[in-house]
Amino acid sequence: MTLKLPDFLAWSTFNGLRHKMGAPLVARFGAQHVVTEIDLPVIDRLQSTGIDVTADQIQVLDDGTLAYKGYRVLVYIRDVPSIGARGSMPKYHFAHCRTLETMYRNHRSERYVVAISDSGFFHVNVLDSGIKSEPVRLDVCQNCLAHIRWKGFDMQMGRLTRLSIVGEFKLSEFFSKYPKDLLAVPPKHSSDTAPLNTYTDNWSDVSARTRSVRGYRCEKCSIVLDGAASKYLHVHHRNGQKNNNKDANLAVLCIECHAEEPMHGHMKSLPDYRAFSERYRRQT
């Protein structure tokens, strides 16, 4: 049974009384009522479909991995033209690797999404199917594996060896070594005990040994600079912390590639930079 209320506004007595009281009319209930959606907690969104981000929202941690709002995250491209073979699909990233650097430099980072699931499946929009979001298994980025030297991974390894490590890579194992929840991991240092960001006393030996072990090869352009030419080969700290000489944090780069790293543009004015460019006639 439906109860129908009378239209009080049609009653002149009621309306007159309302005017004398100075009482305003309230807005009618109906379709114009605005409903505020409740946002899911960040952790729930990261574990499900992921969150669209811009480059400046992603933090690069001291160990080279990536973080978003207190969580170590994975980064990948949401939109793909079509689903093909796994080898042709975009890769997901866990470190600030060469691939991400190139994307940021080309202003394409707005295409990225952060997520935290360790299933290996990521929600992508398949454009050819009408922009339908569906979970797709993606492979890890090889440059990311090289960035943290995961199980000794190096881009100079043979193709089959690299593919074998990629195939065996497990996110559960990665997150076991690099925990998701950064807030649950106590900091190693306080403001009083944190070491100064300066080169260690044995830096010359570390640099020489690293260049030798890596075959005097630039990991970006692959040029080999041994003997007298080794002065043009540098050892770069990936996370900018000069006191962190862990092997995973060290990159062997020629002076040209080193100058392309963030905050290293000043190196292009050095005499060695000009001499190297003139002698080897390489294009940057």
Side-chain angles (χ1 to χ4, degrees):
M1 178 179 177
T2 303
L3 178 62
K4 185 177 181 180
L5 296 175
D7 185 358
F8 293 104
L9 293 181
W11 293 5
S12 58
T13 303
F14 176 83
N15 231 358
L17 180 60
R18 181 181 66 81
H19 282 294
K20 289 181 180 180
M21 295 175 61
L25 289 174
V26 297
R28 292 180 179 273
F29 293 101
Q32 76 275 14
H33 185 63
V34 178
V35 178
T36 302
E37 295 184 359
I38 300 176
D39 287 334
L40 292 174
V42 170
I43 184 63
D44 290 343
R45 296 168 63 195
L46 289 173
Q47 288 178 334
S48 56
T49 58
I51 302 174
D52 294 271
V53 296
T54 56
D56 58 358
Q57 293 177 289
I58 302 175
Q59 177 188 2
V60 181
L61 301 175
D62 287 347
D63 57 16
T65 60
L66 308 172
Y68 175 78
K69 293 191 175 181
Y71 295 96
R72 184 176 276 106
V73 294
L74 310 171
V75 180
Y76 71 100
I77 294 175
R78 172 92 74 193
D79 299 333
V80 298
S82 61
I83 294 181
R86 283 185 64 180
S88 64
M89 295 291 287
K91 308 300 186 285
Y92 65 84
H93 308 267
F94 57 69
H96 189 60
C97 67
R98 291 174 57 187
T99 304
L100 282 185
E101 289 177 1
T102 301
M103 294 294 284
Y104 291 157
R105 194 174 296 122
N106 294 337
H107 305 290
R108 296 180 59 194
S109 56
E110 68 276 5
R111 301 178 60 191
Y112 280 106
V113 177
V114 290
I116 208 169
S117 171
D118 58 7
S119 67
F121 284 86
F122 300 85
H123 284 262
V124 302
N125 294 328
V126 185
L127 303 182
D128 289 352
S129 65
I131 314 182
K132 174 186 177 184
S133 179
E134 57 181 280
V136 176
R137 179 175 288 279
L138 302 178
D139 284 331
V140 64
C141 167
Q142 293 190 31
N143 282 327
C144 285
L145 294 175
H147 193 80
I148 65 168
R149 308 282 293 177
W150 179 263
K151 296 186 176 180
F153 189 94
D154 190 285
M155 292 303 293
Q156 304 304 320
M157 290 177 168
R159 179 175 180 272
L160 293 180
T161 302
R162 287 188 284 111
L163 292 180
S164 175
I165 296 177
V166 169
E168 295 172 357
F169 180 78
K170 293 181 176 60
L171 279 170
S172 57
E173 186 177 357
F174 169 77
F175 281 126
S176 176
K177 183 175 181 180
Y178 298 90
K180 299 178 183 180
D181 191 347
L182 299 174
L183 300 180
V185 181
K188 294 181 180 179
H189 301 283
S190 67
S191 58
D192 295 326
T193 63
L196 294 175
N197 189 20
T198 56
Y199 291 107
T200 56
D201 293 339
N202 65 339
W203 173 241
S204 295
D205 294 335
V206 171
S207 176
R209 183 174 62 253
T210 303
R211 286 179 291 168
S212 175
V213 170
R214 308 276 181 91
Y216 297 97
R217 183 187 299 274
C218 173
E219 70 176 47
K220 286 195 173 183
C221 69
S222 298
I223 190 172
V224 175
L225 298 167
D226 53 6
S230 64
K231 69 177 183 178
Y232 299 121
L233 194 65
H234 299 176
V235 178
H236 168 67
H237 290 88
R238 301 181 194 273
N239 64 4
Q241 297 299 311
K242 298 176 182 178
N243 48 57
N244 182 355
N245 293 336
K246 293 182 179 180
D247 190 57
N249 191 43
L250 302 179
V252 175
L253 303 172
C254 71
I255 190 170
E256 280 192 350
C257 290
H258 197 183
E260 295 300 322
E261 291 296 312
M263 309 299 291
H264 285 70
H266 63 279
M267 297 179 62
K268 295 181 180 180
S269 62
L270 298 176
D272 276 356
Y273 182 92
R274 294 193 294 271
F276 177 80
S277 298
E278 292 171 1
R279 180 172 181 179
Y280 292 92
R281 299 170 185 239
R282 293 182 49 248
Q283 298 295 320
T284 57

